[in-house]
């Protein structure tokens, strides 16, 4: 009988764990998005020289991505230029890269905090 209770308890806990995991993922996404936007705004307002330098490098990253698309998918190049590449500017690429770096930094800090709390 005890085995049956633990089985029904684990079956009931599964959907709850799924809902909590989804809620945690959405919360983390919102936090990372806000942190990335605040970082972008800070750089654009207070660190103009560094912001310009980063835009220059994001232009290089964008050009590299365009070159890779042209190399690996030559038939897709015209459609990519008309849609994806035409819409991306160096500032958009910079915001994307800032979002990736800030998200990785937040996850690293949370991972380290969990490790230190568990030790």
């Amino acid at each position: 009988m005890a085995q049956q209770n633990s089985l029904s308890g684990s079956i009931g806990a599964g959907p709850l764990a799924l809902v909590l995991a989804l809620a945690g993922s959405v919360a983390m996404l919102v936090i990372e998005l806000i942190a990335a936007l605040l970082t972008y705004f800070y750089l654009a307002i207070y660190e103009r020289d560094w912001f310009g330098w980063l835009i220059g490098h994001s232009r290089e990253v964008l050009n590299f991505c365009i070159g890779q698309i042209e190399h690996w998918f030559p038939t897709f190049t015209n459609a990519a230029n008309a849609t994806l590449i035409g819409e991306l500017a160096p500032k958009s690429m910079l915001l994307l890269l800032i979002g990736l770096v800030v998200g990785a930094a937040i996850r690293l800090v949370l991972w380290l905090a969990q490790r230190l709390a568990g030790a």
Side-chain angles (χ1 to χ4, degrees):
M1 188 74 174
Q3 192 175 25
Q4 185 180 5
N5 287 342
S6 68
L7 178 62
S8 63
S10 64
I11 290 173
L16 178 63
L18 175 66
V19 168
L20 290 176
L22 288 174
S25 295
V26 169
M28 180 63 75
L29 181 66
V30 169
I31 291 169
E32 289 175 0
L33 177 65
I34 291 170
L37 285 174
L38 290 176
T39 303
Y40 184 85
F41 293 155
Y42 172 79
L43 289 172
I45 294 171
Y46 297 110
E47 302 290 338
R48 300 207 40 63
D49 292 336
W50 200 33
F51 184 71
W53 181 76
L54 288 172
I55 288 175
H57 284 295
S58 67
R59 181 176 288 119
E60 292 173 13
V61 171
L62 182 61
N63 289 337
F64 174 76
C65 292
I66 292 169
Q68 291 302 308
I69 290 173
E70 290 173 350
H71 176 72
W72 292 104
F73 306 106
T75 58
F76 183 66
T77 302
N78 288 336
N81 281 331
T83 57
L84 176 69
I85 297 168
E87 295 296 324
L88 282 179
K91 287 183 181 180
S92 300
M93 182 59 78
L94 178 62
L95 182 57
L96 174 68
L97 294 173
I98 286 174
L100 292 171
V101 170
V102 167
I106 289 172
R107 290 175 189 269
L108 176 67
V109 167
L110 290 176
W111 178 78
L112 285 173
Q114 287 176 344
R115 288 291 187 175
L116 291 174

